[in-house]
């Protein structure tokens, strides 16, 4: 399994690679002009979390999207960036993002995040997890 490093300070926030694409990075960098400021704010939040960890994050920033599957979401305005908790300093492994439109978390995004979480832990166990930098190296 291949991950892309999104932010690295004291901790790392990484994202799942789906082939040559990184859905979480695409969500953060590309989107409607109306969400540009909110996407920038979400990226700033990720930087703060990478510096300080998840333990003291305001409740308004993080929500448990699915307790049974251990999938969480970073929240900034209408944006939701799904993630699960990683290991070895990778405190958040981001999967996909959505613009929230209803009261419940997107079941398809949660299902995909849960599959990638299982793949992540399997890759850790088999020592087949690789991480690339923002520039692809």
């Amino acid at each position: 399994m291949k991950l892309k490093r999104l932010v690295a300070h004291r901790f790392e926030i990484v994202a799942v690679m789906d082939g040559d694409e990184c859905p979480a990075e695409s969500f953060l960098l590309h989107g409607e002009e109306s969400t540009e400021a909110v996407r920038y704010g979400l990226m700033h939040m990720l930087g703060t979390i990478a510096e300080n960890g998840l333990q003291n994050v305001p409740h308004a920033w993080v929500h448990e999207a699915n307790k049974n599957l251990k999938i969480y979401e970073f929240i900034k305005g209408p944006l939701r960036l799904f993630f699960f908790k990683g290991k070895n300093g990778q405190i958040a492994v981001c999967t996909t993002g959505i613009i929230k439109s209803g009261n419940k978390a997107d079941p398809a995004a949660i299902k995909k995040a849960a599959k990638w979480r299982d793949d992540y832990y399997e890759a850790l166990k088999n020592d087949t997890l690789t991480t690339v930098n923002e520039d692809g190296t």
Side-chain angles (χ1 to χ4, degrees):
M1 176 177 218
K2 191 166 145 184
L3 304 173
K4 187 167 198 174
R5 189 172 289 113
L6 297 179
V7 185
H9 290 291
R10 203 170 103 209
F11 301 99
E12 284 185 331
I13 296 180
V14 296
V16 172
M17 295 292 293
D18 189 8
D20 291 335
E21 299 294 317
C22 181
E25 181 184 52
S26 293
F27 175 73
L28 289 167
L29 297 178
H30 311 288
E32 299 174 16
E33 190 176 321
S34 63
T35 64
E36 185 176 4
V38 182
R39 285 184 281 118
Y40 178 78
L42 183 53
M43 288 186 286
H44 181 72
M45 268 178 39
L46 295 179
T48 300
I49 293 166
E51 286 180 35
N52 302 309
L54 283 168
Q55 63 274 16
N56 294 317
V57 171
H59 181 69
W61 286 13
V62 177
H63 181 261
E64 193 171 62
N66 187 297
K67 185 175 187 163
N68 293 332
L69 297 174
K70 298 178 182 169
I71 302 299
Y72 303 87
E73 56 190 356
F74 291 118
I75 301 166
K76 184 68 175 170
L79 303 184
R80 303 296 185 264
L81 180 62
F82 293 96
F83 74 98
F84 55 88
K85 295 177 181 177
K87 295 282 186 187
N88 304 326
Q90 294 177 333
I91 60 169
V93 181
C94 301
T95 57
T96 57
I98 62 164
I99 297 175
K100 188 162 182 180
S101 60
N103 289 333
K104 293 204 173 215
D106 181 0
I110 289 174
K111 184 177 179 181
K112 186 178 280 191
K115 183 206 176 305
W116 279 333
R117 189 201 66 230
D118 293 344
D119 292 349
Y120 173 87
Y121 283 103
E122 186 68 24
L124 269 178
K125 186 173 94 176
N126 296 328
D127 199 29
T128 58
L129 190 64
T130 60
T131 305
V132 297
N133 292 315
E134 294 173 36
D135 62 4
T137 60

